[in-house]
Amino acid sequence: MGRHIPFLLLIRFPSYSSSWSIHRNLSPLSSYNVCWKCGTQNQNFASLSSSQPRRSRPPPMSKKDRRLNREAETPVYEYNKINVTKNRLYVFGTAYHGEIGLETLIRPKDPDTKTHLFMWKPVRHKFAEFHDLTDIVAGHGFSLFSIKPKGENSPFVFGCGRNGSSQLGYQAARKDGPLETLLSIVPLPISGGKNSRVLAIGAGRAHSLVSVRGEGLFSLGDNSSGQCGRRVITDEAYFGSKYVHKFNRFKEDEVVAISSRFDVSICVTQSGRVFTCGTNNKGQLGRGKDNKFWDFQQVGGDLQGECVKKVVTSGSSVIALTENGQLFSWGCNEVGQANPNEPGKILYHPQYVKLPPGIDKVIDIAMGDYFAFLLNQQGNVYVWGYGSSLGLGPTTTRVKTPTQLPPPLFGCNQFSPDVQVVNIAASFMYNAAINSLGDLYTWGQDQNGCLGLGKMKHQYFPLRVGLGGAARKISLGIDHSLVIARGGA
């Protein structure tokens, strides 16, 4: 008797085919095919038809699949080999002028990614991963960065953001095509030797100042008010200009600190002298009603003979801090923001600021639009002036005398009694402080996320920012912030 084995008949009807296959389930490893013309069996006949599958387009990838593919292509870093002592750069705030150097926010590579005009949380910038970052400064819609040079004639000053007055130098993507906005960080046309080192950088409304050891002081950008330290040329075209002005007078007594807001430039030399130039409509140059506003000249008054280590300005008011911890001020003093002892006046020359007893030696200062801060050697922060960004709550908008901000607002409590503030900074309507643990605190008007708190709401008292490292320095612009930090994850 024969054994009946079931079989499966598969019939194909292609337009130009001349065979079908009959697969008999004799074993998992064998298949017999019968030609419909001659009836012969061929064990390899099935491999011929199966080796030519029907061509079809791959199914479209979903947004999730594309994201997974990008993550698979991302390089894997060995975090145990990361140098935690190297400076890191964090940026946040307004981004649509390129001031924080994140081009992918404005021009995302993925077409499915939305364009972001601002960043309300700190983002670690890759610029510091490829360069040894030394200093930062935030201007009016643009930023400057200084690094250690890598070789002879290599760039050591970089910038991004607005460039309508060539404050970042002549930058062109093609011949005779200068760029008005730079979304990425690019080098400035300032170079020096391998041992060149940037001593200080400053950024105003539309001009830049760079002090280089052994080279002197450089100025770029708008000079309509003499803020670049050279004569004003009527109808001078600043956009697309290749001119970089150099001061040889500061080669011996080098500039070690620069403060600039709007069209005012203030430089502090190594010997502690103060030089100013620019707008002088409210006495902010500290030289009286001097008509030679375009020339860098030394400030006198009560500051004569004093050794200054830091100067801050709001563009109309100025406060200077000496080595022995004393304060001197000049300029607009409408609400007592420069000198709380003489409000309602314009101070054309530096005057000594008498502080209330108990403040002791001052180690740091900061100045906003109509208010000012000081930090004493005990790590206590004091504020005076007018505005809603004083840090004393929503109901306190006027402080006539320096008033201390509660230390618990900056992380000092019964569990961490030794924590104190080590650095303070201020912009026009928002402020920042760094404590001894490297924690960053911000408060004031959160315009376009410049506070980095993840919410664009007014913050009436200091609040800690979630930063991926220990903050060392912060620079505040109009509505964007730059932070240098170390360590972290």
Side-chain angles (χ1 to χ4, degrees):
M1 297 293 293
R3 184 179 179 183
H4 297 280
I5 301 177
F7 64 94
L8 176 65
L9 179 65
L10 298 179
I11 304 177
R12 299 179 58 192
F13 295 96
S15 56
Y16 297 99
S17 178
S18 60
S19 64
W20 65 51
S21 301
I22 299 179
H23 298 273
R24 303 183 64 182
N25 299 332
L26 297 178
S27 68
L29 301 177
S30 63
S31 61
Y32 292 85
N33 303 275
V34 180
C35 179
W36 70 279
K37 283 187 177 182
C38 60
T40 58
Q41 294 181 350
N42 187 1
Q43 188 174 0
N44 297 325
F45 192 79
S47 60
L48 180 61
S49 59
S50 61
S51 63
Q52 298 178 356
R54 180 183 299 178
R55 293 184 178 180
S56 60
R57 294 183 178 179
M61 296 180 64
S62 63
K63 184 177 180 180
K64 180 179 180 180
D65 293 336
R66 284 195 294 268
R67 179 177 60 83
L68 293 176
N69 285 346
R70 290 195 303 268
E71 292 179 356
E73 297 174 357
T74 304
V76 179
Y77 296 97
E78 297 184 22
Y79 290 96
N80 59 338
K81 295 184 179 181
I82 292 180
N83 185 6
V84 295
T85 62
K86 185 178 180 180
N87 287 337
R88 298 179 180 181
L89 175 62
Y90 290 88
V91 298
F92 47 93
T94 304
Y96 51 80
H97 294 134
E99 47 266 76
I100 60 177
L102 295 177
E103 183 180 1
T104 54
L105 294 180
I106 310 300
R107 297 175 179 175
K109 297 180 180 180
D110 190 348
D112 296 328
T113 304
K114 294 182 179 179
T115 299
H116 297 279
L117 301 181
F118 48 84
M119 178 54 63
W120 55 88
K121 292 183 180 180
V123 176
R124 183 175 173 180
H125 203 290
K126 64 180 181 180
F127 177 77
E129 310 303 323
F130 301 98
H131 304 279
D132 193 353
L133 186 64
T134 58
D135 200 3
I136 52 175
V137 64
H140 297 214
F142 68 101
S143 303
L144 296 179
F145 312 89
S146 66
I147 66 170
K148 290 183 179 180
K150 298 181 179 181
E152 194 72 21
N153 296 324
S154 63
F156 44 76
V157 182
F158 292 74
C160 60
R162 289 179 176 269
N163 196 35
S165 298
S166 298
Q167 58 264 44
L168 301 179
Y170 182 79
Q171 307 289 344
R174 60 183 183 276
K175 186 178 180 180
D176 298 330
L179 298 176
E180 188 174 2
T181 302
L182 301 172
L183 301 181
S184 301
I185 300 178
V186 298
L188 270 64
I190 300 176
S191 60
K194 185 177 181 180
N195 297 326
S196 298
R197 177 172 171 260
V198 177
L199 299 176
I201 51 178
R205 178 183 59 85
H207 73 286
S208 303
L209 298 171
V210 181
S211 176
V212 183
R213 173 169 292 176
E215 299 290 338
L217 182 67
F218 298 87
S219 65
L220 307 87
D222 189 1
N223 190 53
S224 57
S225 299
Q227 60 267 39
C228 284
R230 57 184 178 88
R231 289 183 178 273
V232 178
I233 301 176
T234 306
D235 298 330
E236 180 179 1
Y238 300 109
F239 177 62
S241 174
K242 299 181 180 180
Y243 183 72
V244 178
H245 190 66
K246 182 179 180 180
F247 300 86
N248 294 321
R249 60 184 296 184
F250 293 111
K251 279 190 174 182
E252 295 182 359
D253 192 8
E254 297 176 321
V255 175
V256 295
I258 300 174
S259 180
S260 182
R261 288 292 187 191
F262 286 106
D263 296 334
V264 178
S265 300
I266 305 175
C267 297
V268 180
T269 64
Q270 193 173 7
S271 62
R273 297 186 298 169
V274 179
F275 293 82
T276 60
C277 69
T279 303
N280 195 33
N281 57 345
K282 295 184 179 180
Q284 52 266 57
L285 297 187
R287 299 173 350 208
K289 298 180 180 180
D290 189 0
N291 294 326
K292 202 175 181 181
F293 56 89
W294 51 267
D295 186 24
F296 269 113
Q297 292 187 7
Q298 185 177 354
V299 177
D302 292 349
L303 205 60
Q304 190 71 31
E306 298 287 342
C307 183
V308 178
K309 72 172 185 178
K310 184 177 182 179
V311 175
V312 292
T313 179
S314 64
S316 59
S317 307
V318 185
I319 299 179
L321 173 63
T322 63
E323 288 288 348
N324 56 8
Q326 295 180 339
L327 299 184
F328 296 83
S329 64
W330 62 92
C332 180
N333 196 37
E334 183 179 356
V335 294
Q337 67 270 32
N339 190 343
N341 303 317
E342 297 186 9
K345 296 181 179 181
I346 293 181
L347 310 177
Y348 288 97
H349 296 277
Q351 293 186 4
Y352 171 72
V353 179
K354 185 178 180 180
L355 300 175
I359 293 183
D360 297 332
K361 183 179 180 180
V362 180
I363 62 173
D364 199 4
I365 53 177
M367 194 166 200
D369 196 9
Y370 289 99
F371 53 88
F373 294 89
L374 68 84
L375 174 66
N376 66 2
Q377 60 183 355
Q378 285 79 24
N380 299 322
V381 181
Y382 293 81
V383 62
W384 70 93
Y386 173 81
S388 59
S389 304
L390 302 181
L392 295 173
T395 59
T396 305
T397 58
R398 182 74 168 90
V399 178
K400 295 183 179 180
T401 58
T403 303
Q404 182 181 355
L405 273 68
L409 294 177
F410 301 102
C412 180
N413 50 55
Q414 58 181 347
F415 301 102
S416 303
D418 298 331
V419 174
Q420 58 184 10
V421 178
V422 297
N423 188 16
I424 55 177
S427 182
F428 295 97
M429 298 304 294
Y430 71 105
N431 319 287
I434 301 174
N435 66 11
S436 54
L437 297 178
D439 296 331
L440 174 64
Y441 293 82
T442 58
W443 67 97
Q445 291 187 4
D446 194 358
Q447 184 176 358
N448 294 340
C450 60
L451 296 182
L453 298 174
K455 56 177 183 178
M456 289 184 290
K457 295 182 180 180
H458 196 111
Q459 181 62 37
Y460 293 99
F461 54 88
L463 192 63
R464 184 175 179 269
V465 179
L467 200 66
R472 298 181 62 250
K473 183 178 181 178
I474 183 170
S475 180
L476 307 180
I478 300 295
D479 48 12
H480 75 285
S481 306
L482 310 174
V483 182
I484 294 180
R486 281 186 180 180

